[in-house]
Amino acid sequence: MNDINFECTECGKCCHDLRLALTIAEAVAWLARGGKMEVICEAIPWPVEPEPGNAQAGYKRARSSPAMSGSLPVRISIVLAAAFNGACPNLRADMRCGIYEQRPLVCRIYPAEINPFVELVPENKACPSEAWQNKPLQRQGIFVDATTVEQIEQSRRANQLEAPLRMQVCLELGLTTAALANEGFVMYSPDSEALLSALRRIHATAQSQEAAQWTFVSNRAETVETLLSVGATGHLAEPTAAGNFRYHGFFAPS
Ligand code: SF4
Ligand code: SF4
């Protein structure tokens, strides 16, 4: 793995057109400030538990919640995402963050990767070429800065610990349709007040739930047929967004 240097130029490019994955406390703060959020859901068919040594499956398992789709066991991965097109509502005219001391963890960690199975590739980041110099960021694949390492750990821990709470929020709001993982996402844009109130409620009353019923949605007929053939429930996505629901497929409809 290449050694990587980095020093932020404060260009503000990474603060535009984003879906920022937030912890529950961050989501409450974001909504309380008037920000918009989306709830992004994908479902992973999980008919059997993976081998204990399968680290990648273990990582996915820890960040998702068990559910059923028809008779098919699935795991639901849910992201609470601050959503904005154009500049972040907190970005000041001088390209500084207006909530710098309270900015989300994910903003503090950028451009480092949180997922240990995703390699940091400078070309995939918004940062200009002149940012990739000066200070050591990564040596032999390991982040050098202790604060960044701690923040990544904090983010992974929160993601894991809060998985059942994110499921509870979805059930409270009646959001039980998900895309097939690696084929697309379902993006819900719930009413901000309703989401805020659900987040506050579940924060106070965290509890484990029965495995809920979820439904797959896909823009590909063969995916729906395959899912139905293994006992899942599913249907084709409407070609246009409806209400607070949007399907974003990675592949052309078929
Ligand atoms: S919260 Fe601050 S750092 Fe994060 S995207 Fe918005 S302006 Fe940028
Ligand atoms: S895009 Fe990179 S260099 Fe520019 S403000 Fe964001 S982190 Fe800093």
Side-chain angles (χ1 to χ4, degrees), residues 14-15 18 20 30 84 88-91 96-99 103-104 107:
C14 60
C15 303
L18 291 177
L20 288 175
W30 191 273
F84 47 88
C88 172
N90 301 304
L91 189 65
R96 298 287 181 96
C97 176
I99 55 161
R103 72 198 188 286
C107 301

Side-chain angles (χ1 to χ4, degrees), residues 21-33 37 80 102-105 154 158 162 165-166 169 196 199-200 202-203:
L22 302 185
T23 66
I24 288 179
E26 289 170 348
V28 167
W30 191 273
L31 289 163
R33 273 189 225 103
M37 300 223 25
L80 300 174
Q102 291 88 39
R103 72 198 188 286
L105 259 181
Q154 210 182 323
E162 293 180 351
L165 298 174
R166 293 192 297 272
V169 168
L196 184 56
L199 285 166
R200 285 185 166 141
I202 58 102
H203 218 31

Side-chain angles (χ1 to χ4, degrees), residues 19 48 79 124 154 159 194 220-221 223 233 248 254:
R19 299 294 177 269
V48 288
V79 177
N124 296 345
Q154 210 182 323
N159 198 349
R220 302 201 291 182
T223 298
T233 55
H248 173 77
S254 62

Side-chain angles (χ1 to χ4, degrees), residues 96-251:
R96 298 287 181 96
C97 176
I99 55 161
Y100 189 79
E101 293 303 326
Q102 291 88 39
R103 72 198 188 286
L105 259 181
V106 69
C107 301
R108 296 166 194 260
I109 292 167
Y110 193 88
E113 294 290 356
I114 294 171
N115 186 330
F117 300 99
V118 175
E119 192 183 338
L120 171 58
V121 178
E123 292 72 29
N124 296 345
K125 299 290 172 177
C127 313
S129 54
E130 59 272 25
W132 300 101
Q133 51 195 5
N134 297 336
K135 293 188 184 165
L137 175 70
Q138 193 173 277
R139 290 289 176 269
Q140 298 181 326
I142 312 256
F143 290 108
V144 172
D145 176 50
T147 305
T148 305
V149 172
E150 171 48 31
Q151 287 168 343
I152 290 172
E153 266 316 303
Q154 210 182 323
S155 168
R156 288 178 187 164
R157 263 196 316 273
N159 198 349
Q160 181 169 345
L161 288 172
E162 293 180 351
L165 298 174
R166 293 192 297 272
M167 170 64 93
Q168 213 177 316
V169 168
C170 281
L171 298 184
E172 292 242 345
L173 296 175
L175 315 181
T176 53
T177 298
L180 177 65
N182 300 321
E183 195 190 56
F185 292 115
V186 161
M187 300 156 117
Y188 289 102
S189 313
D191 172 75
S192 294
E193 278 303 316
L195 178 57
L196 184 56
S197 135
L199 285 166
R200 285 185 166 141
R201 264 199 316 274
I202 58 102
H203 218 31
T205 60
Q207 55 195 316
S208 61
Q209 318 94 22
E210 297 286 304
Q213 274 291 335
W214 280 66
T215 303
F216 282 94
V217 65
S218 170
N219 60 351
R220 302 201 291 182
E222 63 270 36
T223 298
V224 175
E225 275 166 30
T226 305
L227 288 165
L228 295 182
S229 75
V230 294
T233 55
H235 57 83
L236 270 178
E238 298 294 327
T240 51
N244 70 356
F245 175 95
R246 192 152 50 93
Y247 176 81
H248 173 77
F250 303 152
F251 305 99

Side-chain angles (χ1 to χ4, degrees), residues 1 5 12 14 39 49 56 65 76 133 139 158 163 190 208 219 222 234:
M1 282 187 185
N5 293 338
C14 60
V39 181
E49 285 299 328
Q56 202 153 353
S65 293
I76 308 294
Q133 51 195 5
R139 290 289 176 269
S208 61
N219 60 351
E222 63 270 36

